[in-house]
Amino acid sequence: MKISFNCYLIYACILCSLHLVRCDNSVIRNVSIYGDFNTPNNDGIDIEDSNNTIITDCHIDTGDDAICPKSSTGPVYNLTATNCWIRTKSCAIKFGSASFFNFEKLLFDNITIVDSHRGLGMQIRDGGNVSDVTFSNIKMRTRYYHPSWWGRAEPIYITTCPRHPDSKEGTISDVRFINISSVSENGVFLAGSKHGLLRNLKFQNVDLTYKRWTNYTGGLYDYRPGCQKMVKHRTGGMMLEHISGLEVDNVRMRWSRGSLEGWDVNPLLFRPSTIDGLSFHDWQSLDVQ
C-alpha cells in the first residue's frame, strides 16, 4: 500500500505491508499486520520521506523489518511509535538502509519485541545523519536465524558506514536507550566509521541478558549492506567502534553461562584508538544460571 501526502487516521487488519511515502500528519492506530514470516522484502510499516507520523497500538508479525523509517528523497522527522507488539525475522525497528537525508526527533516507547532476528537497528549507508532519537520502555527477545537473513540476534544494532567505497558517511548522534530489557543470543553492536562517528549515545536503566537456545553459529558480526559484510569476531556484551561520547548509567549484563558453553565472549570489545569520551556509572557484568 502506498499513501502519499496527507494521510489521516487508519484502522485496519491487513495481510501485507503498509508503506507511507511523502506523507505529513499521519496517524496509524490499531493496525494488525500479518506478513509471511519466511519471506524477505515483506516489511510491516515503512515510513519513507514522511513527517509528523504517529504509530500506536499496532501488532506486527512479518518476515522483514517491522517499523522502518527510510529517507530516499527527503528527511524523516517527528515520528512517534508507541504501544506496539512486534515479531519479525529481520529487524523490529530499523532506520534505513535508504538513508540519503536526515532522521530527526524520533521516539519509540512501550514496545514489546519477541523472537526477532534483531531488535533496535540503524543502517545508515548513504550520507544522511541521525539525531535526537529516544528508545524507551522496551522489552525484547532476539535470537539467531539462518545467516542468509540480515541480523545476528543483536538487541541493539547502531551502524553507519559507506554503502560503496565512494559513498558519503553519515553520523548518528544524541540517541538515548532508557528502561530497556532484553534476552538475546548476541550482544549490543555499536559501530560507526572513520568519517561517520557515533556521538553522544546514552544507555540508562538497561538490563541485558545473554543466553543461547538455538543451534546457529555465533561469533559473526553482520555489517550488511555494504561495509565489511560478515566478519568473524569474538562476541561482546557491547562491541564498540568509532564512537565519540558514550554514557552508560545503571546497566546490567547477565550471562547465562550454562548456555554459553563454547562461546568466546567478553563484556566489552573495542579498539581504544577508535573510542573517546566513555563514561560508565553503575555498570555490572554478572554470571547467572
Side-chain angles (χ1 to χ4, degrees):
M1 181 185 295
K2 181 181 287 187
I3 305 173
S4 300
F5 306 108
N6 290 319
C7 312
Y8 299 102
L9 185 61
I10 300 169
Y11 293 89
C13 178
I14 59 180
L15 298 176
C16 60
S17 62
L18 175 61
H19 192 175
L20 273 62
V21 181
R22 294 185 297 279
C23 290
D24 193 34
N25 297 316
S26 305
V27 178
I28 303 170
R29 177 177 288 123
N30 293 335
V31 171
S32 295
I33 297 176
Y34 301 95
D36 187 338
F37 196 66
N38 295 309
T39 301
N41 301 318
N42 182 31
D43 289 2
I45 302 175
D46 284 355
I47 307 298
E48 185 169 0
D49 313 333
S50 297
N51 303 300
N52 304 306
T53 306
I54 295 174
I55 302 169
T56 187
D57 301 306
C58 292
H59 178 113
I60 305 172
D61 193 339
T62 192
D64 218 318
D65 305 317
I67 298 178
C68 189
K70 300 174 180 286
S71 61
S72 301
T73 65
V76 177
Y77 57 84
N78 293 341
L79 166 63
T80 298
T82 62
N83 305 326
C84 293
W85 183 97
I86 295 172
R87 174 178 177 259
T88 170
K89 215 169 188 175
S90 288
C91 192
I93 298 170
K94 191 194 81 177
F95 291 44
S97 67
S99 49
F100 296 91
F101 296 84
N102 291 351
F103 302 83
E104 299 178 11
K105 297 182 180 179
L106 284 76
L107 168 66
F108 302 88
D109 180 70
N110 192 25
I111 293 174
T112 299
I113 299 165
V114 301
D115 289 334
S116 293
H117 208 168
R118 183 175 277 160
L120 313 176
M122 297 184 187
Q123 293 176 333
I124 305 306
R125 300 291 184 268
D126 306 303
N129 302 308
V130 177
S131 63
D132 193 6
V133 179
T134 299
F135 299 96
S136 57
N137 303 307
I138 295 176
K139 297 180 179 180
M140 61 184 131
R141 182 179 177 94
T142 60
R143 50 155 291 180
Y144 286 121
Y145 291 96
H146 192 278
S148 60
W149 293 83
W150 290 358
R152 300 298 298 152
E154 308 95 342
I156 297 171
Y157 174 90
I158 307 298
T159 64
T160 177
C161 63
R163 186 182 300 272
H164 307 293
D166 58 350
S167 296
K168 183 181 177 182
E169 296 174 63
T171 64
I172 297 173
S173 62
D174 300 310
V175 180
R176 298 164 290 276
F177 302 90
I178 302 171
N179 298 334
I180 308 291
S181 65
S182 70
V183 178
S184 303
E185 290 197 289
N186 202 356
V188 172
F189 185 88
L190 306 175
S193 54
K194 185 175 181 181
H195 300 292
L197 292 177
L198 310 185
R199 294 190 175 98
N200 301 326
L201 308 183
K202 182 173 183 178
F203 288 71
Q204 183 177 16
N205 303 333
V206 176
D207 195 321
L208 306 164
T209 297
Y210 304 119
K211 63 186 297 184
R212 287 298 310 266
W213 63 92
T214 73
N215 294 320
Y216 292 104
T217 301
L220 291 170
Y221 282 143
D222 186 354
Y223 289 84
R224 297 173 295 180
C227 314
Q228 305 175 61
K229 297 186 179 179
M230 299 282 278
V231 177
K232 290 185 177 180
H233 210 290
R234 296 181 66 191
T235 298
M238 283 188 175
M239 198 286 282
L240 314 176
E241 292 180 344
H242 298 289
I243 297 174
S244 179
L246 170 63
E247 181 181 350
V248 173
D249 183 11
N250 189 27
V251 173
R252 302 287 185 272
M253 295 182 183
R254 306 176 193 273
W255 300 86
S256 181
R257 290 291 180 180
S259 69
L260 301 181
E261 186 176 352
W263 252 14
D264 185 10
V265 299
N266 199 332
L268 296 175
L269 293 177
F270 63 94
R271 286 183 293 137
S273 62
T274 70
I275 305 294
D276 69 74
L278 298 185
S279 173
F280 283 74
H281 175 72
D282 194 14
W283 170 78
Q284 293 184 355
S285 178
L286 308 169
D287 288 351
V288 297
Q289 294 298 318

